[in-house]
Amino acid sequence: KPGEQKHPKEPSSLQCMHLAVVACGDRLEETLIMLKSAVLFSSRRLCFHIFAEDSLKPEFETKLKEWPSSYTKKFESNIYPITFSVGNAQEWKKLFKPCAAQRLFLPVILKDVDSLLYVDTDVLFLRPIDDIWHLLREFNSTQLAAMAPEHEIPKIGWYSRFARHPYYGSTGLNSGVMLMNLTRIRSARFKNSLIPGGLTWEEMLYPLYQKYKNYITWGDQDLLNIIFYFNPECLYVFPCQWNYRPDHCMYGSNCRGAEEEGVSILHGNRGVYHDDKQPTFKALYEVIRDFPFEDNLFQSLYYPLQSRFLDTVHTLCGRIPQVFLKQIEKTMKKVYENRVIVYLGANHRH
Protein backbone atom coordinates (compact mmCIF):
# COMPACT_ATOMS: atom_id res chain seq x y z
CA LYS A 1 0.00 0.00 0.00
CA PRO A 2 1.22 3.56 -0.64
CA GLY A 3 3.16 4.94 2.33
CA GLU A 4 3.38 1.55 4.04
CA GLN A 5 6.78 0.63 5.38
CA LYS A 6 8.39 -2.34 3.67
CA HIS A 7 10.26 -4.85 5.80
CA PRO A 8 13.44 -6.19 4.20
CA LYS A 9 13.41 -9.92 3.52
CA GLU A 10 15.40 -11.98 6.02
CA PRO A 11 18.69 -13.36 4.69
CA SER A 12 18.51 -17.13 4.23
CA SER A 13 20.82 -17.75 7.22
CA LEU A 14 18.22 -16.06 9.46
CA GLN A 15 15.33 -18.16 8.16
CA CYS A 16 16.81 -21.08 10.05
CA MET A 17 16.89 -21.16 13.84
CA HIS A 18 20.45 -22.21 14.70
CA LEU A 19 20.88 -24.57 17.65
CA ALA A 20 24.33 -25.64 18.89
CA VAL A 21 25.33 -28.37 21.33
CA VAL A 22 28.63 -29.96 22.40
CA ALA A 23 28.62 -33.73 23.01
CA CYS A 24 31.53 -35.77 24.35
CA GLY A 25 31.86 -38.98 26.30
CA ASP A 26 28.55 -40.69 27.08
CA ARG A 27 26.28 -37.80 26.05
CA LEU A 28 24.99 -39.24 22.76
CA GLU A 29 21.52 -40.30 24.01
CA GLU A 30 21.00 -37.15 26.08
CA THR A 31 21.87 -34.96 23.07
CA LEU A 32 19.50 -36.87 20.78
CA ILE A 33 16.61 -36.52 23.28
CA MET A 34 17.31 -32.75 23.48
CA LEU A 35 17.25 -32.49 19.66
CA LYS A 36 14.07 -34.59 19.59
CA SER A 37 12.33 -32.19 22.00
CA ALA A 38 13.40 -29.29 19.77
CA VAL A 39 12.01 -30.90 16.60
CA LEU A 40 8.77 -32.10 18.21
CA PHE A 41 7.50 -28.61 18.98
CA SER A 42 9.26 -26.07 16.72
CA SER A 43 7.38 -24.54 13.82
CA ARG A 44 10.26 -22.89 11.92
CA ARG A 45 13.11 -24.82 10.31
CA LEU A 46 16.06 -25.73 12.53
CA CYS A 47 19.77 -25.90 11.80
CA PHE A 48 21.63 -28.15 14.24
CA HIS A 49 25.34 -27.53 14.88
CA ILE A 50 26.61 -30.59 16.76
CA PHE A 51 30.19 -30.48 18.07
CA ALA A 52 31.22 -34.04 18.90
CA GLU A 53 34.18 -36.33 19.40
CA ASP A 54 35.13 -38.22 16.22
CA SER A 55 33.84 -41.52 17.63
CA LEU A 56 30.33 -40.08 18.06
CA LYS A 57 29.95 -38.56 14.57
CA PRO A 58 28.80 -41.74 12.72
CA GLU A 59 26.38 -42.56 15.57
CA PHE A 60 24.77 -39.11 15.37
CA GLU A 61 24.43 -39.40 11.59
CA THR A 62 22.86 -42.87 11.81
CA LYS A 63 20.41 -42.03 14.61
CA LEU A 64 19.19 -38.76 13.06
CA LYS A 65 18.54 -40.53 9.74
CA GLU A 66 16.32 -43.04 11.54
CA TRP A 67 13.79 -40.35 12.48
CA PRO A 68 10.64 -40.29 10.30
CA SER A 69 10.74 -38.03 7.25
CA SER A 70 7.93 -35.82 8.62
CA TYR A 71 10.51 -34.72 11.22
CA THR A 72 13.81 -34.95 9.32
CA LYS A 73 12.49 -32.42 6.80
CA LYS A 74 12.17 -29.89 9.64
CA PHE A 75 15.93 -29.62 10.22
CA GLU A 76 19.38 -29.87 8.73
CA SER A 77 22.36 -30.99 10.80
CA ASN A 78 26.08 -30.27 10.68
CA ILE A 79 28.54 -32.24 12.80
CA TYR A 80 31.91 -30.69 13.65
CA PRO A 81 35.05 -31.96 15.37
CA ILE A 82 36.10 -30.45 18.71
CA THR A 83 38.54 -27.58 18.03
CA PHE A 84 39.97 -24.66 20.00
CA SER A 85 41.40 -21.75 18.03
CA VAL A 86 43.62 -20.24 20.74
CA GLY A 87 45.64 -21.58 23.67
CA ASN A 88 46.32 -25.18 24.63
CA ALA A 89 43.67 -27.57 23.23
CA GLN A 90 44.28 -30.20 25.92
CA GLU A 91 43.82 -27.62 28.67
CA TRP A 92 40.57 -26.37 27.13
CA LYS A 93 39.32 -29.93 26.65
CA LYS A 94 39.79 -30.77 30.32
CA LEU A 95 38.22 -27.57 31.66
CA PHE A 96 35.28 -28.58 33.89
CA LYS A 97 33.42 -31.24 31.83
CA PRO A 98 34.98 -32.82 28.70
CA CYS A 99 34.77 -30.42 25.73
CA ALA A 100 32.39 -27.98 27.49
CA ALA A 101 34.77 -25.08 26.74
CA GLN A 102 33.99 -25.59 23.02
CA ARG A 103 30.98 -23.27 23.41
CA LEU A 104 33.33 -20.33 24.05
CA PHE A 105 34.65 -20.71 20.49
CA LEU A 106 31.31 -20.81 18.63
CA PRO A 107 31.54 -17.15 17.43
CA VAL A 108 34.96 -17.93 15.95
CA ILE A 109 34.06 -21.27 14.31
CA LEU A 110 30.56 -20.50 12.97
CA LYS A 111 31.63 -17.42 11.03
CA ASP A 112 28.63 -17.50 8.67
CA VAL A 113 25.99 -17.83 11.41
CA ASP A 114 24.41 -14.58 12.58
CA SER A 115 22.58 -15.76 15.73
CA LEU A 116 22.57 -18.97 17.67
CA LEU A 117 21.01 -20.74 20.65
CA TYR A 118 23.55 -22.84 22.55
CA VAL A 119 22.26 -25.45 25.02
CA ASP A 120 23.86 -28.11 27.20
CA THR A 121 23.08 -31.73 26.33
CA ASP A 122 20.86 -32.09 29.43
CA VAL A 123 18.27 -29.57 28.23
CA LEU A 124 14.69 -30.31 27.11
CA PHE A 125 12.41 -27.93 25.21
CA LEU A 126 8.85 -27.88 26.56
CA ARG A 127 7.70 -25.25 24.06
CA PRO A 128 8.78 -24.19 20.54
CA ILE A 129 12.34 -22.88 20.13
CA ASP A 130 10.65 -20.15 18.07
CA ASP A 131 9.61 -18.51 21.36
CA ILE A 132 13.11 -18.11 22.80
CA TRP A 133 14.43 -17.20 19.34
CA HIS A 134 12.07 -14.20 19.35
CA LEU A 135 13.96 -12.80 22.35
CA LEU A 136 16.78 -11.83 19.96
CA ARG A 137 14.49 -9.03 18.79
CA GLU A 138 14.31 -7.70 22.35
CA PHE A 139 18.07 -7.07 22.58
CA ASN A 140 18.91 -3.38 22.82
CA SER A 141 21.81 -1.90 20.81
CA THR A 142 24.55 -3.07 23.23
CA GLN A 143 23.25 -6.55 24.12
CA LEU A 144 24.82 -9.51 22.34
CA ALA A 145 24.00 -12.53 24.51
CA ALA A 146 21.25 -13.72 26.85
CA MET A 147 21.38 -16.06 29.85
CA ALA A 148 19.37 -16.74 33.01
CA PRO A 149 20.62 -16.14 36.56
CA GLU A 150 22.34 -19.07 38.30
CA HIS A 151 20.02 -18.54 41.28
CA GLU A 152 17.01 -16.49 42.26
CA ILE A 153 17.97 -16.14 45.93
CA PRO A 154 21.49 -14.87 46.82
CA LYS A 155 21.61 -16.58 50.21
CA ILE A 156 21.36 -20.05 48.62
CA GLY A 157 23.27 -19.13 45.44
CA TRP A 158 26.60 -20.78 44.67
CA TYR A 159 28.39 -17.67 43.32
CA SER A 160 27.20 -15.38 46.10
CA ARG A 161 28.52 -17.81 48.72
CA PHE A 162 31.64 -19.40 47.24
CA ALA A 163 32.97 -17.66 44.10
CA ARG A 164 36.59 -16.45 44.23
CA HIS A 165 36.37 -14.53 40.96
CA PRO A 166 34.17 -11.71 39.55
CA TYR A 167 30.68 -12.80 38.47
CA TYR A 168 27.63 -11.13 36.94
CA GLY A 169 24.99 -9.50 39.15
CA SER A 170 24.10 -10.74 42.63
CA THR A 171 23.87 -14.49 41.87
CA GLY A 172 25.92 -15.08 38.71
CA LEU A 173 24.74 -16.62 35.43
CA ASN A 174 23.98 -20.16 34.31
CA SER A 175 25.31 -20.81 30.82
CA GLY A 176 23.37 -24.01 30.04
CA VAL A 177 21.00 -22.03 27.81
CA MET A 178 22.70 -19.16 26.00
CA LEU A 179 21.22 -17.09 23.17
CA MET A 180 23.91 -15.31 21.14
CA ASN A 181 24.10 -12.67 18.44
CA LEU A 182 27.38 -13.97 16.97
CA THR A 183 27.73 -11.06 14.55
CA ARG A 184 27.77 -8.61 17.45
CA ILE A 185 30.10 -10.81 19.52
CA ARG A 186 32.61 -10.97 16.64
CA SER A 187 32.66 -7.21 16.14
CA ALA A 188 32.65 -6.10 19.80
CA ARG A 189 35.61 -5.06 21.92
CA PHE A 190 35.24 -6.20 25.51
CA LYS A 191 36.37 -4.46 28.67
CA ASN A 192 38.50 -6.74 30.82
CA SER A 193 40.97 -6.92 33.72
CA LEU A 194 43.95 -7.65 31.47
CA ILE A 195 44.68 -4.50 29.47
CA PRO A 196 43.17 -0.98 29.59
CA GLY A 197 41.89 -1.10 25.98
CA GLY A 198 39.20 -3.54 24.85
CA LEU A 199 39.92 -6.98 23.44
CA THR A 200 38.02 -9.00 20.86
CA TRP A 201 36.24 -12.15 22.02
CA GLU A 202 38.93 -14.44 20.60
CA GLU A 203 41.84 -12.34 21.92
CA MET A 204 40.36 -12.36 25.41
CA LEU A 205 39.62 -16.06 26.01
CA TYR A 206 43.02 -17.60 26.68
CA PRO A 207 44.59 -14.73 28.71
CA LEU A 208 41.40 -14.61 30.81
CA TYR A 209 41.61 -18.34 31.44
CA GLN A 210 45.30 -18.03 32.35
CA LYS A 211 44.56 -15.27 34.83
CA TYR A 212 41.66 -16.97 36.62
CA LYS A 213 42.28 -20.72 36.11
CA ASN A 214 43.18 -21.32 39.77
CA TYR A 215 39.96 -19.65 40.96
CA ILE A 216 37.29 -21.10 38.69
CA THR A 217 35.18 -24.13 39.58
CA TRP A 218 32.62 -24.33 36.77
CA GLY A 219 35.03 -23.83 33.86
CA ASP A 220 33.62 -22.02 30.85
CA GLN A 221 30.54 -20.83 32.79
CA ASP A 222 32.83 -19.00 35.21
CA LEU A 223 34.72 -17.40 32.31
CA LEU A 224 31.41 -16.14 30.88
CA ASN A 225 30.51 -14.73 34.30
CA ILE A 226 33.84 -12.88 34.41
CA ILE A 227 33.34 -11.50 30.87
CA PHE A 228 29.85 -10.17 31.66
CA TYR A 229 30.92 -8.84 35.06
CA PHE A 230 33.16 -6.42 33.14
CA ASN A 231 30.61 -5.93 30.33
CA PRO A 232 27.14 -5.98 31.97
CA GLU A 233 25.64 -3.77 29.26
CA CYS A 234 26.26 -6.60 26.76
CA LEU A 235 23.91 -9.05 28.47
CA TYR A 236 20.16 -9.58 28.22
CA VAL A 237 18.94 -11.53 31.27
CA PHE A 238 16.01 -13.83 30.62
CA PRO A 239 13.85 -15.24 33.43
CA CYS A 240 14.29 -18.60 35.15
CA GLN A 241 11.54 -20.46 33.25
CA TRP A 242 13.90 -20.47 30.22
CA ASN A 243 16.54 -22.41 32.16
CA TYR A 244 14.68 -24.31 34.89
CA ARG A 245 16.90 -26.49 37.08
CA PRO A 246 16.43 -28.67 40.18
CA ASP A 247 17.64 -25.70 42.27
CA HIS A 248 14.39 -23.92 41.39
CA CYS A 249 12.28 -26.48 43.25
CA MET A 250 14.45 -28.69 45.47
CA TYR A 251 14.65 -26.02 48.20
CA GLY A 252 11.02 -25.02 47.72
CA SER A 253 9.65 -23.31 44.61
CA ASN A 254 11.64 -20.14 43.85
CA CYS A 255 11.08 -19.48 40.12
CA ARG A 256 8.06 -17.20 39.94
CA GLY A 257 8.07 -17.13 36.13
CA ALA A 258 7.63 -20.91 36.00
CA GLU A 259 4.82 -20.77 38.55
CA GLU A 260 3.00 -18.21 36.40
CA GLU A 261 3.80 -19.44 32.88
CA GLY A 262 5.14 -22.98 33.33
CA VAL A 263 8.63 -24.24 32.51
CA SER A 264 9.73 -23.32 28.98
CA ILE A 265 13.14 -25.03 28.94
CA LEU A 266 14.05 -27.76 31.43
CA HIS A 267 17.73 -28.12 32.39
CA GLY A 268 18.41 -31.41 34.15
CA ASN A 269 21.87 -30.63 35.50
CA ARG A 270 23.49 -32.65 38.34
CA GLY A 271 22.71 -35.81 36.31
CA VAL A 272 19.07 -35.86 37.48
CA TYR A 273 17.77 -37.60 34.34
CA HIS A 274 19.81 -40.66 35.25
CA ASP A 275 19.40 -41.08 39.02
CA ASP A 276 16.44 -41.07 41.42
CA LYS A 277 17.14 -37.80 43.24
CA GLN A 278 14.65 -35.75 41.19
CA PRO A 279 12.02 -38.15 39.78
CA THR A 280 10.02 -35.29 38.18
CA PHE A 281 12.95 -34.39 35.91
CA LYS A 282 13.66 -38.06 35.18
CA ALA A 283 10.00 -38.66 34.25
CA LEU A 284 10.02 -35.85 31.68
CA TYR A 285 13.27 -37.09 30.15
CA GLU A 286 12.09 -40.71 29.88
CA VAL A 287 8.65 -39.89 28.50
CA ILE A 288 10.16 -37.71 25.73
CA ARG A 289 12.83 -40.38 25.10
CA ASP A 290 10.20 -43.12 24.73
CA PHE A 291 7.67 -41.10 22.71
CA PRO A 292 7.21 -42.72 19.26
CA PHE A 293 7.51 -39.84 16.80
CA GLU A 294 4.38 -40.49 14.79
CA ASP A 295 2.08 -41.13 17.77
CA ASN A 296 -0.53 -38.79 19.18
CA LEU A 297 1.14 -36.27 21.51
CA PHE A 298 -1.62 -36.29 24.11
CA GLN A 299 -1.98 -40.06 24.25
CA SER A 300 1.67 -41.06 24.11
CA LEU A 301 3.36 -38.10 25.79
CA TYR A 302 1.08 -35.95 27.91
CA TYR A 303 -1.00 -38.67 29.61
CA PRO A 304 2.05 -40.87 30.43
CA LEU A 305 3.65 -37.76 31.93
CA GLN A 306 0.64 -37.07 34.11
CA SER A 307 0.59 -40.60 35.46
CA ARG A 308 4.38 -40.62 36.04
CA PHE A 309 4.07 -37.34 37.97
CA LEU A 310 1.60 -38.96 40.38
CA ASP A 311 4.54 -41.06 41.65
CA THR A 312 6.61 -37.95 42.41
CA VAL A 313 4.24 -35.97 44.65
CA HIS A 314 6.26 -36.90 47.75
CA THR A 315 9.20 -34.77 46.46
CA LEU A 316 9.50 -30.97 46.61
CA CYS A 317 9.67 -30.68 42.80
CA GLY A 318 6.84 -33.21 42.38
CA ARG A 319 4.47 -31.14 44.52
CA ILE A 320 4.14 -28.57 41.72
CA PRO A 321 3.34 -30.70 38.62
CA GLN A 322 1.43 -27.82 36.98
CA VAL A 323 4.73 -25.90 36.72
CA PHE A 324 6.15 -28.69 34.53
CA LEU A 325 2.96 -29.41 32.58
CA LYS A 326 1.57 -25.94 31.83
CA GLN A 327 3.76 -25.05 28.83
CA ILE A 328 3.91 -28.54 27.40
CA GLU A 329 0.09 -28.76 27.44
CA LYS A 330 -0.20 -25.37 25.73
CA THR A 331 2.39 -26.36 23.13
CA MET A 332 0.67 -29.66 22.37
CA LYS A 333 -2.65 -27.94 21.85
CA LYS A 334 -0.97 -25.59 19.39
CA VAL A 335 0.74 -28.44 17.54
CA TYR A 336 -2.53 -30.38 17.49
CA GLU A 337 -4.44 -27.38 16.10
CA ASN A 338 -1.82 -26.79 13.41
CA ARG A 339 -1.73 -30.43 12.34
CA VAL A 340 -5.36 -31.48 12.68
CA ILE A 341 -7.60 -28.43 12.46
CA VAL A 342 -5.62 -26.66 9.73
CA TYR A 343 -5.31 -29.94 7.80
CA LEU A 344 -9.04 -30.73 8.13
CA GLY A 345 -9.94 -27.16 7.21
CA ALA A 346 -7.85 -27.35 4.04
CA ASN A 347 -9.45 -30.67 3.04
CA HIS A 348 -12.91 -29.37 3.83
CA ARG A 349 -12.40 -26.40 1.52
CA HIS A 350 -11.37 -28.73 -1.29
Side-chain angles (χ1 to χ4, degrees):
K1 288 175 188 172
E4 196 174 68
Q5 197 178 351
K6 284 187 179 160
H7 293 285
K9 195 167 181 270
E10 277 190 338
S12 58
S13 65
L14 295 181
Q15 289 168 357
C16 200
M17 296 182 295
H18 294 270
L19 178 67
V21 64
V22 179
C24 285
D26 59 358
R27 297 301 180 106
L28 176 80
E29 183 195 74
E30 217 174 62
T31 308
L32 287 165
I33 308 309
M34 179 277 290
L35 296 173
K36 182 180 184 180
S37 73
V39 167
L40 277 178
F41 302 133
S42 69
S43 44
R44 255 171 78 182
R45 188 169 174 74
L46 291 160
C47 288
F48 295 151
H49 301 276
I50 303 164
F51 291 81
E53 288 171 308
D54 296 342
S55 58
L56 293 179
K57 186 181 176 184
E59 293 190 70
F60 270 115
E61 287 171 342
T62 304
K63 296 282 184 192
L64 290 171
K65 278 181 192 151
E66 288 170 1
W67 290 2
S69 60
S70 56
Y71 286 94
T72 55
K73 70 183 183 193
K74 288 177 71 178
F75 69 89
E76 59 186 68
S77 59
N78 301 287
I79 304 172
Y80 310 82
I82 303 293
T83 51
F84 303 99
S85 62
V86 291
N88 180 321
Q90 285 314 108
E91 259 186 301
W92 282 122
K93 202 165 182 186
K94 285 189 225 141
L95 184 63
F96 188 47
K97 287 184 181 163
C99 313
Q102 181 70 78
R103 89 179 89 184
L104 297 171
F105 294 87
L106 297 177
V108 182
I109 298 166
L110 301 173
K111 286 184 166 50
D112 298 327
V113 176
D114 174 70
S115 295
L116 177 84
L117 177 64
Y118 164 86
V119 295
D120 285 348
T121 59
D122 52 9
V123 153
L124 292 170
F125 294 94
L126 305 188
R127 70 189 281 184
I129 288 193
D130 311 56
D131 298 340
I132 192 168
W133 194 256
H134 288 153
L135 296 181
L136 285 163
R137 297 179 190 166
E138 294 188 19
F139 284 16
N140 67 23
S141 60
T142 61
Q143 290 165 338
L144 43 75
M147 284 182 272
E150 170 68 18
H151 261 281
E152 299 302 297
I153 304 165
K155 68 178 181 197
I156 59 170
W158 192 90
Y159 285 103
S160 39
R161 291 185 296 158
F162 306 118
R164 295 185 295 147
H165 58 78
Y167 58 88
Y168 180 91
S170 59
T171 57
L173 300 162
N174 184 281
S175 59
V177 180
M178 186 176 178
L179 192 60
M180 293 181 263
N181 183 320
L182 299 184
T183 304
R184 286 187 180 182
I185 290 173
R186 285 187 285 264
S187 61
R189 294 193 77 80
F190 294 87
K191 298 189 288 292
N192 58 83
S193 57
L194 306 163
I195 61 164
L199 289 169
T200 67
W201 186 264
E202 192 176 16
E203 287 168 346
M204 179 175 54
L205 291 178
Y206 195 60
L208 206 61
Y209 166 65
Q210 286 295 328
K211 177 169 180 177
Y212 291 104
K213 66 179 178 183
N214 296 325
Y215 305 99
I216 58 179
T217 304
W218 309 111
D220 49 310
Q221 176 171 295
D222 290 346
L223 290 177
L224 289 164
N225 266 285
I226 295 164
I227 290 168
F228 290 107
Y229 167 82
F230 289 106
N231 301 272
E233 73 288 351
C234 294
L235 190 76
Y236 176 100
V237 180
F238 50 67
C240 48
Q241 65 264 31
W242 294 103
N243 185 349
Y244 190 90
R245 283 157 280 126
D247 304 62
H248 289 121
C249 51
M250 62 194 271
Y251 309 114
S253 182
N254 61 44
C255 174
R256 188 174 294 165
E259 288 172 17
E260 290 168 3
E261 286 185 30
V263 174
S264 297
I265 294 179
L266 193 77
H267 184 181
N269 61 346
R270 307 170 184 259
V272 293
Y273 297 148
H274 313 292
D275 62 29
D276 295 315
K277 288 179 184 162
Q278 297 297 339
T280 320
F281 282 74
K282 189 179 185 181
L284 264 157
Y285 177 79
E286 291 182 348
V287 168
I288 292 174
R289 179 193 68 192
D290 299 340
F291 172 68
F293 272 104
E294 302 285 29
D295 273 22
N296 177 290
L297 279 165
F298 276 102
Q299 263 175 343
S300 305
L301 204 152
Y302 188 71
Y303 298 137
L305 253 184
Q306 279 187 316
S307 62
R308 285 283 299 268
F309 277 7
L310 289 174
D311 301 330
T312 74
V313 291
H314 62 287
T315 67
L316 276 168
C317 294
R319 281 182 202 171
I320 45 169
Q322 71 284 0
V323 164
F324 296 89
L325 290 170
K326 199 179 276 188
Q327 269 305 334
I328 206 164
E329 183 180 8
K330 215 177 187 177
T331 298
M332 284 183 195
K333 280 181 178 159
K334 209 181 282 180
V335 170
Y336 176 77
E337 281 166 14
N338 289 346
R339 284 193 196 155
V340 179
I341 297 165
V342 174
Y343 175 75
L344 285 175
N347 280 354
H348 188 67
R349 280 195 298 275
H350 292 307

